[in-house]
Amino acid sequence: MGHFIKRELETAFVHRFSHGTMPLLNVFKNSGHYHVLSGLNLAYWLYSPASAQGTLLAAKLGDPLLLAVFTGVFVLAELSNLSTHITLRNLRPPGTRVRRIPYGFGFSMVSCPNYLFETIAWVAIAGMTRSLAAVLFLVVATAQMYLWALKKHRQYQREFPEYPKTRKAIFPFVV
């Protein structure tokens, strides 16, 4: 839930969008992706009778060390994601569509560290819940962010001849 609240607050107070509107199809695609694939699907499996106290699944999910590790990874990934969104916001003066090369935390290795950190956050959720629903969401979300990262990476390379040649799109040293 924290991820979604953070995302809504960022949309309202941090992001500066370069496009005036979002295509109608994207509204349904994004809503379906977030509310059905994650919200309903993940909630169903986490709060179903199969996960109730006293079940084998509940016992596996109750390991305090694993829960602490995955929670720590999740919090660090979410804060890192927020940091990159603030960096991107500060590149664009209010009311403009100015684009600049981003530098700072995460940007030395990849063009879209916000997508990398969001992927890491969902890996932590999948590890915390050990749910196939979380893994499905992780795969779908990462595939979509991968496509967005490739597009943005290519835009940066076309727009800025001096764009760092060693940066990858989303995953350091890989792509």
Short mmCIF file of all heavy atoms in Angstrom, two decimals, residues 98-158:
data_model
loop_
_atom_site.label_atom_id
_atom_site.label_comp_id
_atom_site.label_asym_id
_atom_site.label_seq_id
_atom_site.Cartn_x
_atom_site.Cartn_y
_atom_site.Cartn_z
N VAL A 98 11.52 21.65 -21.12
CA VAL A 98 12.98 21.56 -21.24
C VAL A 98 13.44 20.17 -20.80
O VAL A 98 12.95 19.62 -19.82
CB VAL A 98 13.64 22.64 -20.34
CG1 VAL A 98 15.14 22.43 -20.24
CG2 VAL A 98 13.33 24.02 -20.86
N ARG A 99 14.38 19.63 -21.58
CA ARG A 99 14.97 18.33 -21.24
C ARG A 99 16.47 18.51 -21.10
O ARG A 99 17.09 19.21 -21.88
CB ARG A 99 14.65 17.30 -22.33
CG ARG A 99 13.18 16.90 -22.33
CD ARG A 99 12.82 15.98 -23.50
NE ARG A 99 13.76 14.94 -23.81
CZ ARG A 99 13.77 13.72 -23.25
NH1 ARG A 99 12.89 13.41 -22.36
NH2 ARG A 99 14.65 12.83 -23.62
N ARG A 100 17.02 17.87 -20.08
CA ARG A 100 18.46 17.92 -19.84
C ARG A 100 18.93 16.51 -19.51
O ARG A 100 18.14 15.63 -19.18
CB ARG A 100 18.76 18.84 -18.66
CG ARG A 100 18.38 20.28 -18.91
CD ARG A 100 18.79 21.14 -17.72
NE ARG A 100 18.35 22.50 -17.94
CZ ARG A 100 17.69 23.21 -17.06
NH1 ARG A 100 17.40 22.71 -15.88
NH2 ARG A 100 17.32 24.44 -17.33
N ILE A 101 20.24 16.32 -19.56
CA ILE A 101 20.83 15.03 -19.18
C ILE A 101 20.82 14.92 -17.67
O ILE A 101 21.36 15.79 -16.98
CB ILE A 101 22.27 14.89 -19.70
CG1 ILE A 101 22.31 14.99 -21.22
CG2 ILE A 101 22.89 13.58 -19.23
CD1 ILE A 101 23.70 15.03 -21.80
N PRO A 102 20.20 13.88 -17.12
CA PRO A 102 20.20 13.71 -15.67
C PRO A 102 21.52 13.15 -15.15
O PRO A 102 22.13 12.29 -15.77
CB PRO A 102 19.06 12.73 -15.41
CG PRO A 102 18.86 12.01 -16.69
CD PRO A 102 19.36 12.90 -17.79
N TYR A 103 21.95 13.67 -14.02
CA TYR A 103 23.14 13.18 -13.31
C TYR A 103 22.76 13.02 -11.84
O TYR A 103 21.78 13.60 -11.38
CB TYR A 103 24.32 14.15 -13.43
CG TYR A 103 24.86 14.25 -14.83
CD1 TYR A 103 24.47 15.27 -15.68
CD2 TYR A 103 25.77 13.30 -15.30
CE1 TYR A 103 24.96 15.35 -16.98
CE2 TYR A 103 26.27 13.38 -16.59
CZ TYR A 103 25.87 14.41 -17.42
OH TYR A 103 26.35 14.48 -18.70
N GLY A 104 23.52 12.25 -11.12
CA GLY A 104 23.26 12.07 -9.70
C GLY A 104 23.04 10.61 -9.37
O GLY A 104 23.33 9.72 -10.18
N PHE A 105 22.50 10.39 -8.19
CA PHE A 105 22.33 9.04 -7.66
C PHE A 105 21.58 8.15 -8.64
O PHE A 105 20.46 8.45 -9.04
CB PHE A 105 21.59 9.10 -6.32
CG PHE A 105 21.36 7.76 -5.70
CD1 PHE A 105 22.43 6.99 -5.27
CD2 PHE A 105 20.09 7.26 -5.56
CE1 PHE A 105 22.22 5.75 -4.69
CE2 PHE A 105 19.86 6.02 -4.97
CZ PHE A 105 20.94 5.27 -4.54
N GLY A 106 22.23 7.06 -9.06
CA GLY A 106 21.62 6.09 -9.97
C GLY A 106 21.86 6.38 -11.43
O GLY A 106 21.91 5.47 -12.25
N PHE A 107 22.01 7.66 -11.77
CA PHE A 107 22.12 8.03 -13.19
C PHE A 107 23.51 7.79 -13.77
O PHE A 107 23.68 7.87 -14.99
CB PHE A 107 21.73 9.50 -13.39
CG PHE A 107 20.27 9.75 -13.21
CD1 PHE A 107 19.78 10.25 -12.02
CD2 PHE A 107 19.37 9.46 -14.23
CE1 PHE A 107 18.43 10.49 -11.85
CE2 PHE A 107 18.02 9.69 -14.06
CZ PHE A 107 17.54 10.20 -12.87
N SER A 108 24.50 7.48 -12.96
CA SER A 108 25.84 7.23 -13.51
C SER A 108 25.89 5.91 -14.28
O SER A 108 26.72 5.74 -15.16
CB SER A 108 26.89 7.25 -12.41
OG SER A 108 26.62 6.22 -11.48
N MET A 109 24.97 5.00 -13.94
CA MET A 109 25.00 3.68 -14.57
C MET A 109 23.85 3.42 -15.54
O MET A 109 24.01 2.66 -16.48
CB MET A 109 25.02 2.60 -13.51
CG MET A 109 26.23 2.72 -12.59
SD MET A 109 26.27 1.45 -11.35
CE MET A 109 26.97 0.13 -12.29
N VAL A 110 22.70 4.03 -15.29
CA VAL A 110 21.52 3.78 -16.13
C VAL A 110 20.77 5.07 -16.41
O VAL A 110 20.81 6.02 -15.63
CB VAL A 110 20.56 2.73 -15.50
CG1 VAL A 110 21.21 1.36 -15.41
CG2 VAL A 110 20.05 3.18 -14.17
N SER A 111 20.06 5.08 -17.51
CA SER A 111 19.26 6.24 -17.90
C SER A 111 17.98 6.36 -17.07
O SER A 111 17.48 7.45 -16.87
CB SER A 111 18.87 6.14 -19.38
OG SER A 111 20.01 6.22 -20.20
N CYS A 112 17.47 5.25 -16.60
CA CYS A 112 16.19 5.23 -15.87
C CYS A 112 16.33 4.50 -14.54
O CYS A 112 15.72 3.44 -14.33
CB CYS A 112 15.11 4.59 -16.74
SG CYS A 112 14.83 5.45 -18.28
N PRO A 113 17.08 5.08 -13.60
CA PRO A 113 17.22 4.40 -12.31
C PRO A 113 15.90 4.32 -11.55
O PRO A 113 15.72 3.44 -10.71
CB PRO A 113 18.25 5.25 -11.56
CG PRO A 113 18.21 6.58 -12.21
CD PRO A 113 17.85 6.32 -13.65
N ASN A 114 14.96 5.21 -11.86
CA ASN A 114 13.65 5.13 -11.21
C ASN A 114 12.99 3.79 -11.52
O ASN A 114 12.37 3.17 -10.64
CB ASN A 114 12.75 6.30 -11.61
CG ASN A 114 12.68 6.54 -13.10
OD1 ASN A 114 13.66 6.34 -13.82
ND2 ASN A 114 11.54 6.96 -13.59
N TYR A 115 13.12 3.31 -12.75
CA TYR A 115 12.55 2.00 -13.12
C TYR A 115 13.35 0.87 -12.47
O TYR A 115 12.78 -0.13 -12.05
CB TYR A 115 12.52 1.82 -14.63
CG TYR A 115 11.67 2.82 -15.36
CD1 TYR A 115 11.98 3.19 -16.65
CD2 TYR A 115 10.54 3.38 -14.78
CE1 TYR A 115 11.19 4.10 -17.35
CE2 TYR A 115 9.75 4.29 -15.46
CZ TYR A 115 10.08 4.66 -16.74
OH TYR A 115 9.31 5.55 -17.42
N LEU A 116 14.66 1.01 -12.41
CA LEU A 116 15.49 0.00 -11.75
C LEU A 116 15.09 -0.12 -10.28
O LEU A 116 14.87 -1.23 -9.78
CB LEU A 116 16.97 0.37 -11.86
CG LEU A 116 17.94 -0.47 -11.01
CD1 LEU A 116 17.95 -1.92 -11.46
CD2 LEU A 116 19.33 0.13 -11.07
N PHE A 117 14.96 1.02 -9.59
CA PHE A 117 14.62 0.98 -8.17
C PHE A 117 13.20 0.47 -7.94
O PHE A 117 12.93 -0.22 -6.95
CB PHE A 117 14.83 2.35 -7.53
CG PHE A 117 16.27 2.80 -7.53
CD1 PHE A 117 16.63 4.09 -7.90
CD2 PHE A 117 17.29 1.93 -7.17
CE1 PHE A 117 17.95 4.50 -7.91
CE2 PHE A 117 18.62 2.33 -7.18
CZ PHE A 117 18.95 3.62 -7.54
N GLU A 118 12.28 0.79 -8.85
CA GLU A 118 10.93 0.26 -8.71
C GLU A 118 10.94 -1.26 -8.89
O GLU A 118 10.24 -1.98 -8.18
CB GLU A 118 9.96 0.91 -9.68
CG GLU A 118 8.55 0.45 -9.45
CD GLU A 118 7.47 1.37 -9.98
OE1 GLU A 118 7.74 2.55 -10.25
OE2 GLU A 118 6.33 0.88 -10.11
N THR A 119 11.72 -1.74 -9.83
CA THR A 119 11.85 -3.19 -10.03
C THR A 119 12.40 -3.85 -8.76
O THR A 119 11.89 -4.88 -8.32
CB THR A 119 12.76 -3.49 -11.24
OG1 THR A 119 12.17 -2.93 -12.41
CG2 THR A 119 12.98 -4.98 -11.42
N ILE A 120 13.41 -3.24 -8.16
CA ILE A 120 13.99 -3.79 -6.92
C ILE A 120 12.94 -3.81 -5.81
O ILE A 120 12.84 -4.79 -5.06
CB ILE A 120 15.24 -3.00 -6.50
CG1 ILE A 120 16.37 -3.23 -7.53
CG2 ILE A 120 15.70 -3.38 -5.10
CD1 ILE A 120 17.56 -2.31 -7.38
N ALA A 121 12.12 -2.76 -5.74
CA ALA A 121 11.06 -2.72 -4.72
C ALA A 121 10.08 -3.87 -4.91
O ALA A 121 9.66 -4.53 -3.94
CB ALA A 121 10.32 -1.38 -4.77
N TRP A 122 9.72 -4.16 -6.17
CA TRP A 122 8.78 -5.26 -6.43
C TRP A 122 9.42 -6.63 -6.24
O TRP A 122 8.75 -7.59 -5.88
CB TRP A 122 8.13 -5.11 -7.81
CG TRP A 122 7.06 -4.08 -7.74
CD1 TRP A 122 7.10 -2.80 -8.22
CD2 TRP A 122 5.79 -4.20 -7.10
NE1 TRP A 122 5.94 -2.13 -7.93
CE2 TRP A 122 5.11 -2.97 -7.24
CE3 TRP A 122 5.16 -5.24 -6.42
CZ2 TRP A 122 3.84 -2.76 -6.72
CZ3 TRP A 122 3.89 -5.03 -5.90
CH2 TRP A 122 3.25 -3.80 -6.06
N VAL A 123 10.73 -6.72 -6.44
CA VAL A 123 11.44 -7.96 -6.09
C VAL A 123 11.32 -8.19 -4.58
O VAL A 123 11.07 -9.31 -4.13
CB VAL A 123 12.92 -7.91 -6.53
CG1 VAL A 123 13.74 -9.03 -5.89
CG2 VAL A 123 13.04 -7.98 -8.05
N ALA A 124 11.47 -7.12 -3.81
CA ALA A 124 11.34 -7.24 -2.35
C ALA A 124 9.93 -7.66 -1.96
O ALA A 124 9.75 -8.51 -1.08
CB ALA A 124 11.71 -5.91 -1.68
N ILE A 125 8.92 -7.09 -2.60
CA ILE A 125 7.54 -7.48 -2.30
C ILE A 125 7.32 -8.95 -2.65
O ILE A 125 6.70 -9.69 -1.88
CB ILE A 125 6.54 -6.56 -3.02
CG1 ILE A 125 6.59 -5.17 -2.39
CG2 ILE A 125 5.12 -7.13 -2.97
CD1 ILE A 125 5.80 -4.12 -3.12
N ALA A 126 7.83 -9.36 -3.80
CA ALA A 126 7.69 -10.77 -4.19
C ALA A 126 8.40 -11.67 -3.17
O ALA A 126 7.89 -12.73 -2.81
CB ALA A 126 8.25 -10.99 -5.59
N GLY A 127 9.57 -11.24 -2.68
CA GLY A 127 10.28 -12.01 -1.67
C GLY A 127 9.54 -12.03 -0.34
O GLY A 127 9.50 -13.06 0.34
N MET A 128 8.97 -10.89 0.04
CA MET A 128 8.21 -10.81 1.30
C MET A 128 7.00 -11.71 1.28
O MET A 128 6.71 -12.40 2.25
CB MET A 128 7.70 -9.38 1.49
CG MET A 128 8.45 -8.56 2.47
SD MET A 128 7.57 -7.01 2.74
CE MET A 128 8.49 -5.93 1.70
N THR A 129 6.27 -11.69 0.17
CA THR A 129 4.99 -12.40 0.10
C THR A 129 5.12 -13.83 -0.42
O THR A 129 4.24 -14.65 -0.19
CB THR A 129 4.01 -11.65 -0.81
OG1 THR A 129 4.51 -11.64 -2.16
CG2 THR A 129 3.77 -10.23 -0.32
N ARG A 130 6.20 -14.09 -1.16
CA ARG A 130 6.39 -15.38 -1.82
C ARG A 130 5.12 -15.79 -2.56
O ARG A 130 4.68 -16.93 -2.51
CB ARG A 130 6.82 -16.42 -0.81
CG ARG A 130 8.19 -16.10 -0.25
CD ARG A 130 8.75 -17.17 0.61
NE ARG A 130 9.77 -16.60 1.45
CZ ARG A 130 9.59 -16.29 2.74
NH1 ARG A 130 8.45 -16.51 3.32
NH2 ARG A 130 10.56 -15.77 3.42
N SER A 131 4.58 -14.82 -3.25
CA SER A 131 3.31 -15.01 -3.94
C SER A 131 3.52 -15.01 -5.45
O SER A 131 4.23 -14.16 -5.99
CB SER A 131 2.38 -13.85 -3.56
OG SER A 131 1.34 -13.71 -4.48
N LEU A 132 2.89 -15.96 -6.12
CA LEU A 132 2.95 -15.97 -7.59
C LEU A 132 2.28 -14.72 -8.16
O LEU A 132 2.69 -14.24 -9.22
CB LEU A 132 2.30 -17.23 -8.14
CG LEU A 132 3.09 -18.52 -7.92
CD1 LEU A 132 2.31 -19.71 -8.46
CD2 LEU A 132 4.46 -18.44 -8.57
N ALA A 133 1.30 -14.18 -7.46
CA ALA A 133 0.66 -12.95 -7.90
C ALA A 133 1.67 -11.80 -7.91
O ALA A 133 1.70 -11.00 -8.84
CB ALA A 133 -0.54 -12.61 -7.01
N ALA A 134 2.51 -11.73 -6.89
CA ALA A 134 3.54 -10.68 -6.83
C ALA A 134 4.58 -10.90 -7.92
O ALA A 134 5.05 -9.94 -8.54
CB ALA A 134 4.19 -10.66 -5.45
N VAL A 135 4.94 -12.15 -8.16
CA VAL A 135 5.91 -12.45 -9.22
C VAL A 135 5.32 -12.09 -10.59
O VAL A 135 6.01 -11.49 -11.43
CB VAL A 135 6.34 -13.93 -9.18
CG1 VAL A 135 7.19 -14.29 -10.38
CG2 VAL A 135 7.10 -14.22 -7.89
N LEU A 136 4.06 -12.39 -10.80
CA LEU A 136 3.40 -12.02 -12.06
C LEU A 136 3.41 -10.51 -12.24
O LEU A 136 3.75 -10.01 -13.31
CB LEU A 136 1.97 -12.56 -12.10
CG LEU A 136 1.12 -12.13 -13.30
CD1 LEU A 136 1.72 -12.68 -14.60
CD2 LEU A 136 -0.32 -12.62 -13.13
N PHE A 137 3.05 -9.79 -11.19
CA PHE A 137 3.07 -8.33 -11.27
C PHE A 137 4.48 -7.83 -11.54
O PHE A 137 4.69 -6.94 -12.37
CB PHE A 137 2.52 -7.68 -10.00
CG PHE A 137 2.45 -6.19 -10.11
CD1 PHE A 137 1.36 -5.58 -10.71
CD2 PHE A 137 3.47 -5.39 -9.63
CE1 PHE A 137 1.31 -4.20 -10.85
CE2 PHE A 137 3.42 -4.02 -9.76
CZ PHE A 137 2.34 -3.41 -10.37
N LEU A 138 5.47 -8.39 -10.85
CA LEU A 138 6.87 -8.02 -11.06
C LEU A 138 7.28 -8.20 -12.52
O LEU A 138 7.89 -7.31 -13.11
CB LEU A 138 7.77 -8.85 -10.14
CG LEU A 138 9.28 -8.79 -10.41
CD1 LEU A 138 9.83 -7.40 -10.15
CD2 LEU A 138 10.00 -9.83 -9.55
N VAL A 139 6.93 -9.33 -13.10
CA VAL A 139 7.30 -9.61 -14.50
C VAL A 139 6.63 -8.62 -15.45
O VAL A 139 7.28 -8.04 -16.32
CB VAL A 139 6.96 -11.08 -14.87
CG1 VAL A 139 7.07 -11.31 -16.36
CG2 VAL A 139 7.87 -12.03 -14.10
N VAL A 140 5.34 -8.42 -15.28
CA VAL A 140 4.61 -7.51 -16.18
C VAL A 140 5.11 -6.07 -16.01
O VAL A 140 5.36 -5.37 -16.99
CB VAL A 140 3.08 -7.61 -15.95
CG1 VAL A 140 2.33 -6.54 -16.70
CG2 VAL A 140 2.58 -9.00 -16.35
N ALA A 141 5.26 -5.63 -14.77
CA ALA A 141 5.72 -4.26 -14.51
C ALA A 141 7.13 -4.04 -15.04
O ALA A 141 7.43 -3.02 -15.67
CB ALA A 141 5.66 -3.96 -13.02
N THR A 142 8.01 -5.01 -14.81
CA THR A 142 9.39 -4.88 -15.29
C THR A 142 9.46 -4.86 -16.81
O THR A 142 10.22 -4.09 -17.39
CB THR A 142 10.27 -6.00 -14.71
OG1 THR A 142 10.21 -5.93 -13.28
CG2 THR A 142 11.72 -5.87 -15.17
N ALA A 143 8.65 -5.69 -17.46
CA ALA A 143 8.61 -5.70 -18.92
C ALA A 143 8.17 -4.33 -19.45
O ALA A 143 8.77 -3.79 -20.38
CB ALA A 143 7.68 -6.79 -19.44
N GLN A 144 7.14 -3.75 -18.84
CA GLN A 144 6.68 -2.43 -19.27
C GLN A 144 7.73 -1.36 -19.02
O GLN A 144 8.00 -0.53 -19.88
CB GLN A 144 5.37 -2.06 -18.55
CG GLN A 144 4.81 -0.72 -18.98
CD GLN A 144 4.44 -0.68 -20.46
OE1 GLN A 144 3.55 -1.37 -20.89
NE2 GLN A 144 5.14 0.13 -21.23
N MET A 145 8.34 -1.37 -17.84
CA MET A 145 9.38 -0.38 -17.53
C MET A 145 10.60 -0.55 -18.42
O MET A 145 11.25 0.43 -18.80
CB MET A 145 9.75 -0.45 -16.04
CG MET A 145 8.65 0.07 -15.14
SD MET A 145 9.09 0.14 -13.40
CE MET A 145 9.08 -1.60 -12.94
N TYR A 146 10.91 -1.78 -18.77
CA TYR A 146 12.02 -2.07 -19.69
C TYR A 146 11.76 -1.38 -21.03
O TYR A 146 12.64 -0.72 -21.59
CB TYR A 146 12.17 -3.58 -19.85
CG TYR A 146 13.09 -4.01 -20.96
CD1 TYR A 146 14.47 -3.98 -20.79
CD2 TYR A 146 12.59 -4.45 -22.18
CE1 TYR A 146 15.33 -4.38 -21.80
CE2 TYR A 146 13.44 -4.85 -23.20
CZ TYR A 146 14.80 -4.81 -23.01
OH TYR A 146 15.64 -5.19 -24.02
N LEU A 147 10.55 -1.51 -21.54
CA LEU A 147 10.20 -0.87 -22.83
C LEU A 147 10.28 0.64 -22.72
O LEU A 147 10.81 1.31 -23.61
CB LEU A 147 8.81 -1.32 -23.28
CG LEU A 147 8.67 -2.79 -23.61
CD1 LEU A 147 7.21 -3.14 -23.90
CD2 LEU A 147 9.56 -3.18 -24.79
N TRP A 148 9.75 1.20 -21.63
CA TRP A 148 9.82 2.64 -21.44
C TRP A 148 11.27 3.10 -21.32
O TRP A 148 11.64 4.14 -21.85
CB TRP A 148 9.07 3.05 -20.18
CG TRP A 148 7.58 2.95 -20.25
CD1 TRP A 148 6.79 2.97 -21.37
CD2 TRP A 148 6.68 2.81 -19.15
NE1 TRP A 148 5.47 2.85 -21.03
CE2 TRP A 148 5.37 2.75 -19.68
CE3 TRP A 148 6.87 2.73 -17.78
CZ2 TRP A 148 4.25 2.62 -18.86
CZ3 TRP A 148 5.75 2.60 -16.98
CH2 TRP A 148 4.46 2.56 -17.51
N ALA A 149 12.10 2.34 -20.60
CA ALA A 149 13.50 2.71 -20.41
C ALA A 149 14.26 2.70 -21.73
O ALA A 149 15.06 3.60 -22.00
CB ALA A 149 14.17 1.76 -19.41
N LEU A 150 14.02 1.68 -22.55
CA LEU A 150 14.69 1.65 -23.86
C LEU A 150 14.31 2.86 -24.70
O LEU A 150 15.18 3.49 -25.33
CB LEU A 150 14.32 0.37 -24.62
CG LEU A 150 14.96 -0.92 -24.14
CD1 LEU A 150 14.48 -2.09 -25.00
CD2 LEU A 150 16.48 -0.83 -24.19
N LYS A 151 13.04 3.21 -24.69
CA LYS A 151 12.57 4.37 -25.46
C LYS A 151 13.22 5.66 -24.95
O LYS A 151 13.72 6.47 -25.74
CB LYS A 151 11.05 4.45 -25.36
CG LYS A 151 10.44 5.58 -26.15
CD LYS A 151 8.92 5.56 -26.04
CE LYS A 151 8.30 6.72 -26.79
NZ LYS A 151 6.85 6.76 -26.61
N LYS A 152 13.22 5.84 -23.64
CA LYS A 152 13.81 7.06 -23.06
C LYS A 152 15.32 7.10 -23.29
O LYS A 152 15.88 8.15 -23.61
CB LYS A 152 13.50 7.13 -21.57
CG LYS A 152 13.98 8.42 -20.93
CD LYS A 152 13.39 8.61 -19.57
CE LYS A 152 11.95 8.95 -19.75
NZ LYS A 152 11.41 9.96 -18.88
N HIS A 153 15.98 5.96 -23.15
CA HIS A 153 17.43 5.88 -23.37
C HIS A 153 17.78 6.29 -24.81
O HIS A 153 18.69 7.08 -25.03
CB HIS A 153 17.90 4.45 -23.08
CG HIS A 153 19.36 4.23 -23.16
ND1 HIS A 153 20.25 4.77 -22.25
CD2 HIS A 153 20.12 3.52 -24.04
CE1 HIS A 153 21.48 4.41 -22.57
NE2 HIS A 153 21.42 3.65 -23.65
N ARG A 154 17.01 5.78 -25.76
CA ARG A 154 17.25 6.14 -27.17
C ARG A 154 16.98 7.62 -27.42
O ARG A 154 17.69 8.26 -28.20
CB ARG A 154 16.40 5.26 -28.08
CG ARG A 154 16.89 3.83 -28.13
CD ARG A 154 16.03 2.97 -29.05
NE ARG A 154 16.42 1.58 -28.93
CZ ARG A 154 15.58 0.60 -28.67
NH1 ARG A 154 14.28 0.82 -28.54
NH2 ARG A 154 16.02 -0.64 -28.55
N GLN A 155 15.95 8.16 -26.76
CA GLN A 155 15.65 9.60 -26.90
C GLN A 155 16.82 10.43 -26.39
O GLN A 155 17.23 11.40 -27.03
CB GLN A 155 14.39 9.99 -26.11
CG GLN A 155 13.10 9.57 -26.76
CD GLN A 155 11.90 9.88 -25.86
OE1 GLN A 155 12.01 9.89 -24.63
NE2 GLN A 155 10.76 10.10 -26.48
N TYR A 156 17.35 10.07 -25.23
CA TYR A 156 18.50 10.79 -24.68
C TYR A 156 19.68 10.73 -25.65
O TYR A 156 20.35 11.73 -25.91
CB TYR A 156 18.95 10.18 -23.34
CG TYR A 156 18.12 10.56 -22.13
CD1 TYR A 156 17.85 9.61 -21.15
CD2 TYR A 156 17.66 11.85 -21.93
CE1 TYR A 156 17.12 9.94 -20.01
CE2 TYR A 156 16.93 12.19 -20.79
CZ TYR A 156 16.67 11.23 -19.84
OH TYR A 156 15.97 11.56 -18.72
N GLN A 157 19.95 9.54 -26.20
CA GLN A 157 21.08 9.38 -27.11
C GLN A 157 20.91 10.22 -28.38
O GLN A 157 21.87 10.79 -28.88
CB GLN A 157 21.27 7.90 -27.47
CG GLN A 157 21.79 7.08 -26.31
CD GLN A 157 21.82 5.60 -26.62
OE1 GLN A 157 20.94 5.07 -27.30
NE2 GLN A 157 22.83 4.91 -26.11
N ARG A 158 19.68 10.27 -28.90
CA ARG A 158 19.41 11.08 -30.10
C ARG A 158 19.48 12.57 -29.81
O ARG A 158 20.03 13.35 -30.59
CB ARG A 158 18.03 10.76 -30.68
CG ARG A 158 17.98 9.56 -31.58
CD ARG A 158 16.68 9.48 -32.37
NE ARG A 158 15.49 9.59 -31.54
CZ ARG A 158 14.86 8.57 -30.97
NH1 ARG A 158 15.31 7.35 -31.14
NH2 ARG A 158 13.79 8.75 -30.23
#
